[in-house]
Amino acid sequence: MIVKTIVQQQYRSIDDNAAVSLAGLKTPPEGWLRTVRNALGMSGTEVAKKVGVTRARVTQAEQAELKGGVTLKSMQAMAEAMGCRFVYAIIPPSGRIEDIITSQARKKAMALVGTASKHMALEDQALPDDKITQEVERLTREIAQEMPPDFWIDK
C-alpha cells in the first residue's frame, strides 16, 4: 500500500470514529450556549463577566449560534467561561466517509456507462439492464479505489 493510501485510511478512521461518537447528537432548540448556561444555572451577566464582555454580547452570541453566525472563538470562550470544553466536528451524514466516496464514484461510473450505453444503442448493440448494473458496480469500485484527479469534479 502506498503512503498516501495509508494516510487517507487513517483520516477516514478518525472521521468515522467521530461520527460514531456523535451519532444522534442534535443541537438543542435554544442552542448549546443557552442550554448549557441554563443547565448550570448561570446568568448571562455571570458568563459575560467571566469572558470579559457585556451581557448584550452573550445574548448576541447565543442568537448568532442559532443563525449559524457565531464564531468558533466566541463559542470556545463562552464554553470555557462555563467550565466546559468546546468541540466541533465535520462528519458524514451516514457515519462513514466511505459512503460519500462510493456515492461520488457511482455518479462517475453512471455517467461513463450512460455515455457508452447511448453510443451502443445507436449502433443496435445495447446491453441488457443487468449487464449495465454490473458494469456500474464494477466501475464504481474501480473509481473509488483509484480516485482519479477529477474525482470530485462533477461534469
Side-chain angles (χ1 to χ4, degrees), residues 42-92:
M42 290 180 81
S43 69
T45 303
E46 291 167 326
V47 173
K49 284 180 183 175
K50 287 183 172 250
V51 177
V53 297
T54 65
R55 166 68 176 109
R57 180 65 196 111
V58 171
T59 300
Q60 287 172 348
E62 290 176 351
Q63 291 170 353
E65 179 190 1
L66 294 174
K67 296 175 185 172
V70 69
T71 66
L72 296 178
K73 184 177 178 181
S74 291
M75 291 290 287
Q76 173 131 10
M78 297 214 185
E80 288 175 2
M82 294 184 286
C84 295
R85 184 171 58 106
F86 173 66
V87 178
Y88 72 92
I90 299 172
I91 58 171

Side-chain angles (χ1 to χ4, degrees), residues 2-146:
I2 61 174
V3 174
K4 181 180 176 183
T5 303
I6 293 170
V7 170
Q8 193 174 43
Q9 286 176 342
Q10 290 172 338
Y11 279 123
R12 288 178 190 177
S13 177
I14 290 167
D15 199 69
D16 289 348
N17 289 338
V20 168
S21 297
L22 299 173
L25 183 66
K26 304 280 187 233
T27 302
E30 292 184 320
W32 287 109
L33 292 174
R34 184 168 291 151
T35 299
V36 171
R37 182 174 60 75
N38 287 336
L40 292 170
M42 290 180 81
S43 69
T45 303
E46 291 167 326
V47 173
K49 284 180 183 175
K50 287 183 172 250
V51 177
V53 297
T54 65
R55 166 68 176 109
R57 180 65 196 111
V58 171
T59 300
Q60 287 172 348
E62 290 176 351
Q63 291 170 353
E65 179 190 1
L66 294 174
K67 296 175 185 172
V70 69
T71 66
L72 296 178
K73 184 177 178 181
S74 291
M75 291 290 287
Q76 173 131 10
M78 297 214 185
E80 288 175 2
M82 294 184 286
C84 295
R85 184 171 58 106
F86 173 66
V87 178
Y88 72 92
I90 299 172
I91 58 171
S94 69
R96 294 185 55 230
I97 286 289
E98 197 65 37
D99 293 342
I100 295 171
I101 292 169
T102 300
S103 176
Q104 181 66 15
R106 184 166 284 110
K107 280 187 214 173
K108 294 280 192 183
M110 289 175 68
L112 287 170
V113 171
T115 300
S117 292
K118 286 177 189 173
H119 290 287
M120 291 176 74
L122 290 173
E123 298 173 10
D124 285 334
Q125 297 176 352
L127 292 175
D129 288 345
D130 64 325
K131 292 289 186 192
I132 291 172
T133 301
Q134 286 176 356
E135 185 59 14
V136 167
E137 290 308 311
R138 184 192 69 75
L139 268 175
T140 296
R141 287 188 302 275
E142 185 179 307
I143 293 168
Q145 179 69 34
E146 292 175 10

